[in-house]
Each structure stands twice: as C-alpha cells, then as structure tokens.
Amino acid sequence: MNLTLLGGPGAGKGTQAKRLLEKYRLLHISTGDILRQAIKDGTPLGLQAERYLKSGELVPDAIMLGIIEERLAQPDAAAGAIFDGFPRTLPQADGLEALLRKRKSRLNLCLSLEVPDELIIKRLSSRRICNQCGADYNVISNPPPADGKCLKCGGQIIQRADDFEETIRNRLAVYRRQTKPLQDYYSGRGLLRVVDGNQTVDDIFAKLCQTIDDHLKESAGN
Ligand code: AP5
Ligand code: MG
C-alpha cells in the first residue's frame, strides 16, 4: 500500500505519518526530513536545497524526483510507503505515478488534511524541535525544558528556520499556488479523501485509520 499525506504546512502530516507507519508497517518518506538532514550534513543536496527551505519555496521537481527514485530503490520500500509532503506539484505527482508504475505498484490513497491558516500560523510559530533527534515540542501545548535540552536525547531545542511568521505565510501561499491543485488531480483519479485536521491528534488518527480500512475492505471486495 502506498499513501500520500497532502496538506499545508503544519497541517499535521508528520505527526500522523509517524502513527500510521506503526499501525500499517509502512516506510515513512518525509521529503522535508530528508532535505533537513542533507542540510545538516552539508551534502551537495543540502547545499542546493538550503535557500529554498529557508524562504519556504519549493526545491525544484527534478531534484525531488531524484530523491524519491533513489529512496524507492532501497529494499525497505518494497512493502509500500507513506509519502509525507510529497508530491507537492503536478509534475511531482506525474513523476511519482510513473516511478510506482515502473515498480508495478501504484498510489492507493491521497489523504488531505485541512486546517485553517490562522491555526497553522499559531501551531508553527509555537513549535520547537530538537536539532539532534527531531523531537517535537510546542511552547503552548508541550513546552520544552527550561535548559533548552531535549528530554529524549539531550540535543539542543531550536525553532525551525522556516517557522517564523513571514516564512510560514509564504509557505501557505506556495501551498495554495502549487500544491492544492493536487486535490483535483487525485480527486479525478478517485483517490482523494479529505480529513478535517482541526481536531485532536487522536481523533484525526482515528478518522485516517477508518478511511484507510474502508479502502482496504473495498479493494478486497473487488
Ligand atoms: P516539510 O518539512 O514537509 O514542511 P511542511 O509541509 O511545511 O510541514 P511541516 O513539517 O511544518 O508540518 P506537518 O504538516 O508535518 O505538521 P506536523 O505534524 O509537524 O517541508 C519543508 C520544506 O522542504 C518546504 O517548505 C520545501 O522548501 C521543502 N520541501 C519538502 N518537500 C518538498 C517537495 N516535495 N518538493 C519541493 N520542496 C519540498 O505538526 C506541526 C505542529 O503542529 C507540531 O508542533 C505538532 O505538534 C502540532 N500539531 C500536529 N497536529 C496537531 C493537532 N491535531 N492539534 C494541535 N497541534 C497539532
Ligand atoms: Mg512535516
């Protein structure tokens, strides 16, 4: 099974993907995490990608499709994946379809999380992360320790470079312009399921699982 999580910045894609991969035993492919790791490691990819992430613009499609092709070629991708933050443009969606077809596979569902802009700005400007293990903190709902050290690994807790209000607003504009049209793309293929992302993490997870399980039952019946 291959799933993609669509949704604006801070819609909850990463939070839900981590839960879904445990339940459905799928590989989690977060293109944002891959790019942030490359930047941290100072690889050629990281050097190319850094300015895009800092401004909230998208990394060019050819680079992104190269990353996905390489990742899908690894043995742990054989059982299927949850794509988190990919595809983000129509050429990426076409490219993913072609890559999966080559592997005699296909995308089963596109799960789109809908969250109002003002809530996204609130969520993301209060988010903090560990720069070592990526653990998620939030100054409102899950405050980091006063010494700024991660409870899980002792790493430094920081604000993501793109989690400042001006950049969040640009990420929202980029989402509307380049990524939201994918809803029509997947709706036209019968794969789109829209889920209200303005609920508790548990309620959203329950709704996503129900949607996936309904799909699996339908496919088994055909
Ligand atoms: P990426 O890392 O994918 O960032 P994003 O899409 O902007 O989204 P986030 O990771 O910030 O949010 P999320 O939806 O995962 O939400 P999360 O669960 O963390 O991409 C970063 C950049 O990389 C892009 O801007 C671009 O430059 C580049 N890039 C990546 N992929 C690319 C591609 N395919 N093509 C080109 N460029 C690409 O939750 C957010 C916060 O809200 C957390 O603090 C969380 O705890 C909290 N939260 C989550 N759910 C809830 C809830 N239900 N209630 C309350 N709080 C919640
Ligand atoms: Mg994410």
Side-chain angles (χ1 to χ4, degrees):
M1 179 163 68
N2 293 292
L3 307 172
T4 181
L5 283 172
L6 190 67
K13 303 181 294 294
T15 303
Q16 296 298 331
K18 282 179 198 125
R19 292 190 165 202
L20 290 169
L21 73 96
E22 276 177 29
K23 174 158 173 162
Y24 294 98
R25 299 272 144 220
L26 296 168
L27 176 70
H28 180 199
I29 302 183
S30 160
T31 43
D33 288 350
I34 293 171
L35 293 167
R36 276 185 292 279
Q37 188 63 46
I39 292 171
K40 203 169 143 205
D41 295 344
T43 65
L45 168 65
L47 294 174
Q48 262 183 309
E50 190 165 17
R51 68 189 169 98
Y52 297 102
L53 273 86
K54 270 212 172 120
S55 62
E57 294 296 320
L58 296 184
V59 173
D61 291 334
I63 297 179
M64 297 314 301
L65 282 164
I67 292 174
I68 296 294
E69 183 165 22
E70 213 174 275
R71 192 64 191 86
L72 287 179
Q74 291 168 30
D76 61 352
I82 303 178
F83 297 92
D84 162 2
F86 181 91
R88 259 172 150 101
T89 63
L90 293 169
Q92 289 182 17
D94 282 337
L96 177 63
E97 199 171 72
L99 281 173
L100 290 173
R101 202 182 309 121
K102 240 196 323 193
R103 308 177 64 77
K104 308 224 175 319
S105 185
R106 67 186 177 89
L107 196 67
N108 297 76
L109 284 177
C110 169
L111 302 162
S112 183
L113 296 172
E114 296 277 301
V115 179
D117 284 7
E118 289 315 308
L119 185 62
I120 281 183
I121 290 167
K122 197 169 150 200
R123 270 188 198 174
L124 291 185
S125 47
S126 55
R127 170 167 65 183
R128 301 292 181 270
I129 57 161
C130 170
N131 74 347
Q132 288 302 322
C133 71
D136 190 68
Y137 296 88
N138 189 293
V139 291
I140 300 167
S141 55
N142 178 24
D147 65 0
K149 299 255 183 291
C150 178
L151 290 170
K152 290 186 186 154
C153 75
Q156 189 66 34
I157 294 166
I158 56 158
Q159 185 160 9
R160 237 170 78 169
D162 56 352
D163 275 350
F164 293 89
E165 184 164 340
E166 198 184 320
T167 314
I168 299 168
R169 288 197 186 275
N170 190 39
R171 287 158 68 195
L172 283 166
V174 167
Y175 171 71
R176 258 190 299 278
R177 198 169 58 237
Q178 293 181 267
T179 307
K180 210 161 188 308
L182 291 181
Q183 288 192 330
D184 287 341
Y185 178 98
Y186 286 122
S187 168
R189 285 161 169 72
L191 302 181
L192 182 73
R193 305 288 184 274
V194 176
V195 171
D196 178 8
N198 184 9
Q199 310 179 64
T200 65
V201 170
D202 285 348
D203 286 348
I204 298 166
F205 181 63
K207 183 72 196 163
L208 290 172
C209 292
Q210 189 198 330
T211 305
I212 294 166
D213 293 344
D214 286 350
H215 168 78
L216 290 173
K217 265 186 232 148
E218 269 169 41
S219 328
N222 289 333

